[in-house]
Amino acid sequence: MNKKLTRRQFLAGSSLAVAGAVSASTLYLLHKDEAEALVVEHVTLPIKGLAPALEGFKIAQLSDFHLYPYTQKPLIEKSVAIANALNPDLTVLTGDYVWRDLEAIYELAPILAGLNATYGLYAVMGNHDLWTNVAVIKDAFTEFGVPYLINQGVTITQGKGSLHIAGLDDGWSGEPDLQAALAGAPEEAPVVLLVHEPDLADDYALHPRISLQLSGHSHGGQVRFPRLGGALVLPHLGRKYDYQLYKVNEMWLYSNPGIGVTNEPLRINCPPEITEITLMRA
């Protein structure tokens, strides 16, 4: 004999089914979480006008550390050790150092100061650095010897070749000034641009001097499902060029997915990354 379900019984059964599905999804995501699974991505880029003396020049890029509450120091210490083991010619940091705990910068800065490269270390600021207190970030960097570029540039010379590193203020909440960052750049030197937000590439790719833009900001979305089109959630100015390598006009762009996490304390199909970029003559 058929027995009809009451509305209460139907709703109770539906609730159990939903709860079961949510639990299963949660277990799946936790099982697949890559938030601690550091990787090194090796990228080789042909650069127009690169001098023979700079053939094979290696840049290590790290970004978006977001120390605390989810990202902890051991992961960052490990990323520093891995970056140093690459023996880069230059190491760059492309913004967003802490998240909810501003004073954590005084724990992070001495770790970052341990980054070693032949021609040194340079950092730029991100939107979270300005949203917390950029003066405190800069104070900690100065105290522990982490050089930063805010609308400034530095020229690296190796043999008879030069490479200009131009660092901009944050593009979302700061006042980036490209001309100031290019001031003094040798005419023949290719330019590597450091700016936190990748989607600004559409503007900077119009400048003929810039060969490569290095950015962070998007975290690659942290959770990526390629069959569904990629990342589920992306930030302002990190939606168009959200993950890894692009060619924008004649300029290369690399969007580093970062080391740390923020609102979603996990990573799926998007592990924390140290990028090793090797420059070759075009």
Side-chain angles (χ1 to χ4, degrees):
M1 182 174 71
N2 293 330
K3 182 179 180 181
K4 282 189 174 182
L5 287 175
T6 66
R7 183 171 181 273
R8 179 176 294 176
Q9 289 171 326
F10 174 78
L11 291 176
S14 298
S15 297
L16 286 172
V18 170
V22 170
S23 297
S25 299
T26 301
L27 288 172
Y28 171 82
L29 291 174
L30 290 175
H31 176 68
K32 295 290 186 179
D33 184 18
E34 301 172 312
E36 301 287 325
L38 277 166
V39 299
V40 177
E41 189 72 18
H42 301 276
V43 181
T44 299
L45 298 178
I47 302 295
K48 289 183 179 180
L50 189 72
L54 288 164
E55 179 94 7
F57 190 93
K58 291 196 302 183
I59 302 172
Q61 181 192 7
L62 299 89
S63 196
D64 296 83
F65 299 91
H66 290 292
L67 181 60
Y68 299 148
Y70 302 131
T71 308
Q72 300 293 312
K73 288 197 297 183
L75 179 67
I76 297 173
E77 291 167 342
K78 185 178 179 181
S79 72
V80 167
I82 292 172
N84 286 342
L86 297 173
N87 295 313
D89 295 295
L90 177 71
T91 299
V92 298
L93 311 177
T94 44
D96 280 5
Y97 301 99
V98 295
W99 188 30
R100 292 180 176 174
D101 183 355
L102 175 61
E103 292 300 311
I105 192 63
Y106 291 101
E107 297 180 52
L108 177 63
I111 299 173
L112 299 181
L115 286 160
N116 292 319
T118 305
Y119 292 96
L121 165 70
Y122 293 98
V124 293
M125 300 298 164
N127 56 298
H128 281 278
D129 305 315
L130 273 69
W131 293 351
T132 51
N133 188 329
V134 73
V136 174
I137 305 295
K138 292 192 290 186
D139 177 74
F141 277 10
T142 299
E143 179 178 342
F144 292 100
V146 179
Y148 56 86
L149 301 172
I150 300 179
N151 299 328
Q152 297 167 291
V154 60
T155 300
I156 292 170
T157 300
Q158 181 168 286
K160 295 182 179 180
S162 295
L163 188 69
H164 189 76
I165 312 302
L168 295 186
D169 197 3
D170 177 65
W172 184 345
S173 299
E175 297 180 356
D177 186 338
L178 179 60
Q179 294 308 313
L182 293 178
E187 188 172 334
E188 74 284 357
V191 174
V192 176
L193 180 68
L194 310 180
V195 59
H196 185 61
E197 290 85 4
D199 288 359
L200 298 173
D202 284 332
D203 293 328
Y204 296 129
L206 300 175
H207 198 291
R209 294 289 306 279
I210 302 174
S211 300
L212 169 63
Q213 176 181 318
L214 299 179
S215 299
H217 182 58
S218 71
H219 298 203
Q222 290 184 200
V223 176
R224 300 183 68 84
F225 295 109
R227 292 184 181 179
L228 299 178
L232 302 181
V233 179
L234 291 165
H236 174 59
L237 295 178
R239 294 173 183 151
K240 185 175 182 180
Y241 304 116
D242 62 301
Y243 191 57
Q244 297 189 330
L245 186 64
Y246 299 89
K247 189 74 176 290
V248 186
N249 297 337
E250 295 302 310
M251 183 188 79
W252 293 106
L253 164 66
Y254 198 87
S255 296
N256 180 291
I259 299 295
V261 296
T262 51
N263 297 309
E264 298 79 30
L266 78 165
R267 287 179 175 270
I268 306 293
N269 297 319
C270 186
E273 178 184 307
I274 300 112
T275 312
E276 180 193 63
I277 298 168
T278 302
L279 307 184
M280 305 298 289
R281 299 176 68 201

